Amino acid sequence: GRSMCSNCQHSLAVYDLIPLLSWLSLGGKCRYCKQSIGWQEPVMEVSMMALYLLSYLVWPYSFDAAGIALFIIWLVLLIGLVALVVYDLRWMILPNRLVYPMYSLAAAQVVVLTLQAGTIEPLLSAVAGAAVVGGLFYAIFQISGGKWIGGGDVKLGVILGVFAGGFIEGALLLFVASFLGTLVSLPMLIINRKRGQQIPFGPFLIIATIIVYLFGAGAITWYKQQFLLI
């Protein structure tokens, strides 16, 4: 169906759907009912553009046939990841209808890397990444009875572990996500002073995945050279 205003249900024209420009030209309001459109749409649009540009500039693979296929898979994944951030921040849920299609993207990435390498090493690395991230989340979920972490985080953790690309990368992903979560959560808890306040972990996990996917290999290589003399 055609896109409609969520307030007045009026069908939107093509010129109402130009990313960011339409929102700015309308002053953040619907052209037809003058109700506020909200800030989520322009923030998502700007975020997507910034992530696409960043991904192109620092792409960790070459742009050969396999690299282009991986790039397309990654760009499609980013759409789902940004949508999940919005869902988790607003409603503290990670919808299955967004998470489940990502399993296909994860499988596609493994297939491309395996064909490119000509060995099963990328498959084994993907399993290791999924095990360290998804496995840890599953253990926490079982131990806490779902109080510390949700089932959606477990499902997403498996996918993001695959994209991390290995055991070390998965561990780095968890470290970065935990660091970001602590960095943001502690000041919020101190200021609000609300015990038991829930803060979604999904956004930190997703941001960490983007960081590790694009910069993880370089960071790990640098660490080995500096501290392990490899």
Side-chain angles (χ1 to χ4, degrees):
R2 298 180 62 184
S3 297
M4 296 185 297
C5 171
S6 58
N7 294 305
C8 65
Q9 308 303 313
H10 194 290
S11 295
L12 302 179
V14 174
Y15 48 78
D16 295 320
L17 300 172
I18 302 173
L20 188 59
L21 294 179
S22 294
W23 188 86
L24 290 173
S25 65
L26 294 171
K29 297 180 179 179
C30 172
R31 183 187 305 276
Y32 309 99
C33 67
K34 307 305 180 184
Q35 292 296 312
S36 175
I37 298 173
W39 55 267
Q40 291 89 349
E41 288 79 4
V43 168
M44 285 186 63
E45 291 165 356
V46 171
S47 298
M48 289 306 309
M49 289 187 288
L51 288 173
Y52 277 18
L53 178 60
L54 176 65
S55 297
Y56 175 76
L57 293 176
V58 300
W59 186 238
Y61 301 98
S62 61
F63 278 105
D64 54 11
I68 292 174
L70 292 172
F71 190 63
I72 293 173
I73 293 169
W74 174 247
L75 295 185
V76 175
L77 178 74
L78 283 177
I79 297 173
L81 293 182
V82 171
L84 285 176
V85 169
V86 173
Y87 266 91
D88 213 13
L89 288 175
R90 292 189 65 179
W91 299 292
M92 297 193 69
I93 58 173
L94 298 171
N96 288 334
R97 67 177 182 272
L98 290 178
V99 174
Y100 285 157
M102 294 182 183
Y103 279 91
S104 298
L105 295 175
Q109 160 140 321
V110 173
V111 169
V112 172
L113 288 175
T114 301
L115 291 175
Q116 182 187 43
T119 68
I120 63 170
E121 183 177 349
L123 173 60
L124 299 178
S125 296
V127 171
V132 69
V133 181
L136 177 62
F137 284 179
Y138 180 75
I140 295 174
F141 179 79
Q142 291 295 325
I143 293 172
S144 67
K147 294 180 181 179
W148 297 346
I149 199 168
D153 292 305
V154 178
K155 299 171 188 175
L156 182 62
V158 173
I159 298 167
L160 300 186
V162 171
F163 275 95
F167 183 88
I168 296 177
E169 291 83 356
L172 179 61
L173 190 158
L174 291 172
F175 171 78
V176 174
S178 300
F179 175 76
L180 293 175
T182 302
L183 198 65
V184 173
S185 301
L186 280 181
M188 291 178 60
L189 292 175
I190 293 173
I191 294 174
N192 294 330
R193 298 180 182 276
K194 293 181 181 179
R195 293 186 178 182
Q197 183 183 23
Q198 289 185 320
I199 298 175
F201 188 60
F204 304 115
L205 187 62
I206 289 169
I207 294 172
T209 299
I210 295 172
I211 293 173
V212 170
Y213 188 91
L214 296 177
F215 302 102
I220 291 172
T221 300
W222 176 86
Y223 179 84
K224 288 179 178 179
Q225 292 175 343
Q226 295 296 318
F227 300 100
L228 303 181
L229 302 180
I230 298 177

